[in-house]
Amino acid sequence: MAITGDDVSLEDIIPISLDFAVVEVSSPEELAVVGADTRVRVSYCEEELELRLPFGSHSRCFLTEVNRAWSDICKSPTQVPKFEWINKYSKVTRGLDVVKQGLAPASTTVGKLNQHRKTEKGSFEREKGSNSATHKSRVYSNLESSGISSREDRDDLVRSSSHTPSNKAQILTMPQFGLRDTLIRCELLKNEESYTYLENFSFFLGTYNVNGQSPKESLRPWLSCTLNPPDMYCVGFQELDLSKEAFFFNDTPKELEWTKAVSEALHADAKYALVKIVRLVGIMLIFFVKKEHAEFISEVEAETVGTGIMGRMGNKGAVAIRFCFHNSDICVVNSHFAAHIEEYERRNQDYKDICSRLQFRQLDPTQPPLTIMKHNVVLWIGDLNYRISDLDVDNVKELISNKDFETLHTYDQLKRQIDKEAVFDGFLEGDIDFQPTYKYDTGSDNWDTSEKCRVPAWCDRILWKGKNIEQKHYHSHMALKTSDHKPVSSMLIVGIKRINGEAYKKTFEDIVRNIDKMENECIPSVSLSQREFDFKDVKFMQHKAQTLSLFNDGQVPCQFEFIQKPNEPTYCKPWLTANPYKGFIAQGGSVDIELEIFVNRTTAPELNFGNYLPSCYGTPINLLCQLREPIQDMTQETLRKLAEMSGEEIVLNTEKPLDIPKELWMMVDHLFRNAIKQEDIFQQPGLRSELAEIRDCLDTGMPDSLPGSNHSVAEALLLFLDSLPEPVVPYHFYQQCLESCSNASQCEKVISMLPQCHQNVFNYLAAFLRELLKNSASNRLDVNILATIFASLLLRSPMKQDFAEKRKTQEFFQHFLIQGSS
């Protein structure tokens, strides 16, 4: 697939005029296939062009913009249409500068791929004897008939159903609908019960941590355990691939292996279509639907979020798929939380991070993204990793042998955290009447006999949130022995909203009449709870929020939106957000808007010398080397003056500058003394509360030891390096590093040219990491892991890095991790 404008050439331009038309020509058979491309015919006078678009939000946006431009031409034939959506495709934009009132094909629709792209992955072919260009067809049916296509071909496995009342949200976001139709949409939602009815559908949910294994046995005992075939399958895996290649490059053959195993094990009494697959390293979610329900699935989107070290690494985190089924919005989440029995607070933090950071873009690009909890039904599966606490292994096994699962469940960490309302607020889980699913000797039903002798635990769980949901079963499946976990399944009967067409039409007409009447009689009016907000002391990576309430005291519903001032690109500074920044308020209603401040590595450098508590995070290395006192003991005026000086001009006093920042020394020294043999150091995240304590210690004083766990101090070090305005290897040396990456002596020569304080920091960190590698048997680190983590922080690109550059930066830094390096 073409990714940017550089991947295509402009082949043809069709003018949008009164002689222009675009119609969908997909066959009924194509429309019935979930994930099918959509075919449209564009015509101008005697010229015709047939396009095959991969269905998804980009294609919908393309067709919407074409429709909007054509509507504008019909209204004002002399006015030039605006193609704002296409600005990111540079080559296409230049074409539009030349030909006015032209339709330029998007890079995902029409064009010839450049020679360096592989033509078998989406080339364009001219049809003989016609003026059309056709994208290679990618039609997805059930796996039995077509086999499983490559990941690239599945990436846009998305389609929307035809324009029926059941997906009214899609109709209402088309260009001819504006404020008036936002009112209609909200009134329709408010009166939903008058034109909808409930129909039950069965959802099979399954979760399986496969411990990096390939499938070795049929999955039918797990996936076909019900008498009747389910309407939907949502199947989640964790630890799909534990290899370093999967972790670093997110590429694994096991995705195809396990997807095939699932497709072969689905209930034999029904035919299923694959709707979507989404994967983040080893966390994968597969969504199948009965073929007869496929046409009612729409607005399919998938997202991922990593909760590993620094909130980026994908060895832990979640993947999710959201979709509309008839008139219900459904979100399915598959997650893998932090391990180890004592880390329940870290697991709680993983849950909260996933809920706040995992967001789906909406069909209407002007609308704010959807969070997990903004759906009618939320289904959550995965290896949540909560353990059994306060019982030794023998007591746990005795309760299991007596099948006293009710007593054992009282010691379950997840139950305790839910009871405290710390996580999964509003979610339900069925009664657990099966033995713990972890940890077994692989290939058997025997509990862990390794040296660690893990306490059995219900790591693998299934929960749900929403109305009209009934659980029919909740089981583990002991017959499967591939992994050290046992798979779990649940069958849920979900009441889905369906639309009565006649009742919908009557409700719609009544609403339109009432809005017509309101528009003629009233004007909008709102009042604000307050006009000024003081956030007082704001610290690095500390979230602060205040609430602005808007009340609609007028006689009609109204819309609100934050808009930018003249000549400003956004409505607020990058460290401030309003959520929601736009919306709708019913007559007599109100809305609470969260005004949130969050200073990160991008915004900290500018704020460190303003009305903000300064921090060593986001402060340049050369300035920190001049500060012998904690940074918050310095006046802002002093810091500002120092920031404005060049490296040679910075002279605070007659004392020699520090060789390295004292804050960096504190963190590295702490890790050297306490964490040299720590298992999974630099791979397991710390706790956010402890990171805040460490930041405050570094900014306000130098205690004898830093607070928090070793993992928290390790992540604090990585965050410190990530927040540097100028990386350890300054930007202007970056290209030299890439060019010399294969030659160790040339690499050392580049480092010798760095400013002295930067050179000291680089060598100090490399020496520390070599010491860590001497203890790799205990801490499970190797050269590849450390090179991948630290190269991205020490050798940051001034532009976005491509894959080849990342490999070169890792190769460069590896020279300094080999024992004996200077």
Side-chain angles (χ1 to χ4, degrees):
M1 288 292 292
I3 305 301
T4 70
D6 292 331
D7 298 325
V8 298
S9 57
L10 187 59
E11 185 175 285
D12 202 357
I13 291 179
I14 309 290
I16 297 180
S17 69
L18 296 175
D19 299 316
F20 170 88
V22 57
V23 293
E24 185 172 352
V25 293
S26 298
S27 67
E29 292 78 15
E30 288 174 311
L31 288 172
V33 177
V34 175
D37 298 344
T38 186
R39 289 192 296 121
V40 296
R41 182 175 295 124
V42 177
S43 61
Y44 171 69
C45 298
E46 300 301 318
E47 186 174 4
E48 284 192 349
L49 192 69
E50 188 169 298
L51 312 181
R52 187 178 288 274
L53 310 181
F55 222 100
S57 54
H58 290 299
S59 296
R60 294 195 296 269
C61 179
F62 172 72
L63 291 174
T64 299
E65 291 292 341
V66 171
N67 184 41
R68 178 180 298 164
W70 183 77
S71 299
D72 289 344
I73 289 295
C74 292
K75 294 173 189 173
S76 308
T78 59
Q79 186 176 350
V80 178
K82 295 180 179 178
F83 286 84
E84 298 171 356
W85 61 279
I86 211 166
N87 288 340
K88 58 185 173 182
Y89 301 114
S90 56
K91 285 194 175 182
V92 181
T93 306
R94 287 197 293 274
L96 285 171
D97 289 338
V98 178
V99 183
K100 301 299 183 184
Q101 291 184 311
L103 164 61
S107 66
T108 52
T109 55
V110 178
K112 291 185 294 188
L113 295 186
N114 289 343
Q115 293 296 316
H116 64 275
R117 307 288 292 182
K118 291 186 178 178
T119 56
E120 64 267 26
K121 290 186 178 177
S123 62
F124 292 98
E125 303 165 344
R126 275 285 184 194
E127 290 183 353
K128 291 182 179 179
S130 74
N131 251 348
S132 64
T134 307
H135 189 291
K136 254 189 180 175
S137 173
R138 294 182 306 166
V139 178
Y140 303 87
S141 58
N142 68 316
L143 295 171
E144 294 175 9
S145 62
S146 65
I148 300 173
S149 54
S150 69
R151 182 169 185 82
E152 290 85 352
D153 286 346
R154 282 201 315 271
D155 207 39
D156 277 330
L157 190 59
V158 178
R159 78 178 296 274
S160 284
S161 55
S162 56
H163 289 167
T164 64
S166 67
N167 63 345
K168 60 185 182 296
Q170 180 172 339
I171 303 172
L172 291 170
T173 55
M174 291 179 68
Q176 61 264 42
F177 290 85
L179 169 60
R180 169 187 176 82
D181 297 287
T182 302
L183 304 180
I184 294 174
R185 179 169 50 203
C186 292
E187 288 298 309
L188 281 171
L189 292 173
K190 196 160 64 174
N191 293 279
E192 207 169 36
E193 291 184 5
S194 66
Y195 59 86
T196 59
Y197 63 95
L198 292 179
E199 183 175 335
N200 288 335
F201 293 88
S202 55
F203 285 67
F204 182 98
L205 307 176
T207 179
Y208 194 7
N209 182 319
V210 297
N211 191 33
Q213 304 296 311
S214 294
K216 299 170 183 172
E217 54 196 342
S218 172
L219 303 183
R220 283 190 178 278
W222 171 38
L223 300 179
S224 294
C225 64
T226 59
L227 181 63
N228 298 314
D231 294 304
M232 313 268 180
Y233 273 99
C234 302
V235 183
F237 293 96
Q238 307 84 38
E239 295 191 357
L240 198 75
D241 193 333
L242 298 176
S243 69
K244 291 181 175 62
E245 288 75 21
F247 180 69
F248 295 139
F249 310 121
N250 197 26
D251 193 22
T252 173
K254 291 182 179 174
E255 174 181 321
L256 194 63
E257 294 173 9
W258 281 102
T259 303
K260 186 172 184 291
V262 169
S263 69
E264 292 171 348
L266 300 179
H267 207 291
D269 293 341
K271 295 295 183 184
Y272 292 93
L274 173 63
V275 180
K276 190 73 175 172
I277 296 175
V278 58
R279 182 174 62 82
L280 174 68
V281 189
I283 310 168
M284 181 167 76
L285 179 60
I286 311 175
F287 176 30
F288 283 92
V289 61
K290 270 186 181 177
K291 273 194 165 182
E292 57 263 36
H293 301 319
E295 63 180 301
F296 303 108
I297 299 284
S298 64
E299 297 179 39
V300 182
E301 297 287 351
E303 290 295 343
T304 68
V305 61
T307 59
I309 194 82
M310 295 176 69
R312 295 182 194 170
M313 298 298 189
N315 54 326
K316 295 293 188 290
V319 299
I321 297 171
R322 64 92 53 200
F323 59 96
C324 292
F325 183 45
H326 290 291
N327 212 50
S328 292
D329 296 323
I330 299 168
C331 179
V332 186
V333 183
N334 174 31
S335 66
H336 193 188
F337 291 175
H340 306 302
I341 190 167
E342 71 279 2
E343 295 287 349
Y344 67 89
E345 287 187 36
R346 175 67 226 189
R347 290 187 271 281
N348 293 355
Q349 183 174 302
D350 285 345
Y351 166 78
K352 292 169 185 173
D353 282 351
I354 291 165
C355 288
S356 63
R357 291 172 49 211
L358 201 150
Q359 298 182 336
F360 303 93
R361 60 187 176 186
Q362 293 213 59
L363 193 65
D364 178 359
T366 66
Q367 295 299 310
L370 285 173
T371 59
I372 292 171
M373 300 307 169
K374 292 286 187 182
H375 293 79
N376 304 127
V377 175
V378 181
L379 309 174
W380 199 305
I381 64 179
D383 179 359
L384 306 187
N385 248 327
Y386 287 94
R387 309 300 176 92
I388 304 292
S389 292
D390 304 327
L391 281 179
D392 62 34
V393 64
D394 293 331
N395 287 334
V396 170
K397 289 179 180 179
E398 182 180 357
L399 288 171
I400 294 170
S401 63
N402 295 332
K403 296 193 182 301
D404 190 358
F405 301 131
E406 186 176 353
T407 300
L408 185 61
H409 193 219
T410 62
Y411 295 91
D412 175 66
Q413 290 179 343
L414 179 56
K415 173 179 166 52
R416 290 181 173 183
Q417 294 306 304
I418 290 176
D419 289 345
K420 291 179 180 178
E421 299 182 350
V423 289
F424 290 103
D425 185 33
F427 280 80
L428 295 174
E429 182 182 23
D431 294 334
I432 297 179
D433 58 1
F434 52 88
Q435 70 183 47
T437 54
Y438 174 82
K439 179 182 182 182
Y440 296 87
D441 288 339
T442 302
S444 76
D445 293 333
N446 301 323
W447 297 115
D448 180 25
T449 58
S450 70
E451 183 182 345
K452 293 182 178 178
C453 193
R454 302 281 193 194
V455 178
W458 287 296
C459 290
D460 311 283
R461 310 292 273 268
I462 297 174
L463 301 95
W464 71 89
K465 184 176 186 177
K467 297 178 181 179
N468 307 306
I469 302 175
E470 179 186 0
Q471 188 176 59
K472 287 300 184 182
H473 85 239
Y474 192 20
H475 300 320
S476 66
H477 298 269
M478 298 295 292
L480 273 69
K481 308 182 194 302
T482 297
S483 174
D484 56 357
H485 289 247
K486 299 296 183 183
V488 173
S489 71
S490 172
M491 178 73 89
L492 298 180
I493 305 300
V494 182
I496 297 294
K497 295 175 185 175
R498 297 199 64 172
I499 285 182
N500 180 313
E502 287 299 316
Y504 172 83
K505 182 179 178 183
K506 182 180 182 304
T507 304
F508 186 92
E509 290 170 350
D510 290 345
I511 290 170
V512 170
R513 276 194 296 270
N514 289 334
I515 289 178
D516 285 343
K517 184 180 177 183
M518 283 192 299
E519 285 179 340
N520 292 331
E521 295 177 355
C522 308
I523 58 173
S525 171
V526 296
S527 57
L528 286 66
S529 59
Q530 62 189 99
R531 293 177 179 272
E532 291 186 2
F533 296 85
D534 183 1
F535 287 86
K536 302 192 186 305
D537 295 335
V538 176
K539 299 177 181 178
F540 180 80
M541 289 192 72
Q542 178 189 47
H543 178 269
K544 282 201 168 188
Q546 293 191 35
T547 302
L548 165 65
S549 296
L550 298 184
F551 177 71
N552 184 353
D553 53 11
Q555 301 301 307
V556 289
C558 67
Q559 275 185 307
F560 71 88
E561 181 178 1
F562 288 83
I563 59 174
Q564 63 264 44
K565 296 177 182 177
N567 303 319
E568 292 196 9
T570 58
Y571 69 85
C572 66
K573 298 295 184 183
W575 39 263
L576 173 67
T577 56
N579 186 26
Y581 74 93
K582 64 187 296 184
F584 172 86
I585 314 175
Q587 179 188 351
S590 64
V591 63
D592 288 338
I593 299 169
E594 289 290 307
L595 300 176
E596 302 174 344
I597 283 184
F598 188 75
V599 179
N600 58 19
R601 70 180 178 92
T602 306
T603 54
E606 180 183 349
L607 290 173
N608 260 340
F609 318 110
N611 188 20
Y612 156 78
L613 283 176
S615 174
C616 62
Y617 288 84
T619 300
I621 290 176
N622 60 344
L623 198 158
L624 289 174
C625 286
Q626 296 291 334
L627 304 181
R628 293 181 175 272
E629 300 300 320
I631 193 167
Q632 287 188 11
D633 286 356
M634 311 298 295
T635 65
Q636 289 183 344
E637 184 62 26
T638 300
L639 291 172
R640 188 178 294 109
K641 286 181 179 178
L642 288 170
E644 291 170 353
M645 298 177 184
S646 68
E648 292 77 17
E649 292 172 329
I650 294 180
V651 180
L652 188 62
N653 51 42
T654 55
E655 292 184 89
K656 179 181 177 290
L658 299 171
D659 289 330
I660 61 172
K662 57 189 179 302
E663 296 84 359
L664 175 68
W665 175 83
M666 277 292 296
M667 290 184 281
V668 172
D669 182 65
H670 178 99
L671 294 171
F672 182 76
R673 288 184 289 107
N674 300 291
I676 205 80
K677 296 183 178 182
Q678 176 74 55
E679 184 178 344
D680 292 335
I681 194 68
F682 290 117
Q683 296 181 82
Q684 181 173 319
L687 281 174
R688 189 160 299 131
S689 58
E690 293 179 352
L691 289 171
E693 292 174 4
I694 294 166
R695 175 205 61 213
D696 290 347
C697 282
L698 297 174
D699 289 342
T700 60
M702 306 303 290
D704 293 335
S705 63
L706 292 172
S709 69
N710 291 335
H711 294 300
S712 293
V713 176
E715 186 168 9
L717 173 59
L718 297 180
L719 286 168
F720 174 84
L721 297 173
D722 191 47
S723 68
L724 291 170
E726 184 85 5
V728 175
V729 177
Y731 288 126
H732 58 277
F733 287 95
Y734 178 76
Q735 196 59 41
Q736 289 176 257
C737 293
L738 298 183
E739 293 167 0
S740 61
C741 67
S742 58
N743 186 312
S745 61
Q746 286 297 315
C747 294
E748 291 184 8
K749 184 177 179 181
V750 173
I751 296 303
S752 69
M753 296 162 58
L754 302 185
Q756 191 61 53
C757 55
H758 286 253
Q759 186 182 146
N760 293 344
V761 168
F762 184 95
N763 290 329
Y764 181 62
L765 287 169
F768 165 62
L769 297 179
R770 290 197 295 272
E771 290 299 316
L772 279 180
L773 289 172
K774 291 178 183 177
N775 295 273
S776 58
S778 301
N779 58 38
R780 303 203 304 179
L781 290 171
D782 63 31
V783 169
N784 285 332
I785 292 174
L786 289 180
T788 301
I789 294 170
F790 280 86
S792 64
L793 301 173
L794 304 180
L795 286 82
R796 296 205 304 266
S797 169
M799 311 288 286
K800 185 174 177 60
Q801 273 184 332
D802 61 26
F803 182 73
E805 285 186 10
K806 287 180 181 178
R807 293 297 295 264
K808 287 182 178 180
T809 60
Q810 292 164 22
E811 185 180 354
F812 179 94
F813 191 54
Q814 280 182 357
H815 293 300
F816 299 90
L817 296 178
I818 298 168
Q819 298 303 321
S821 298
S822 59

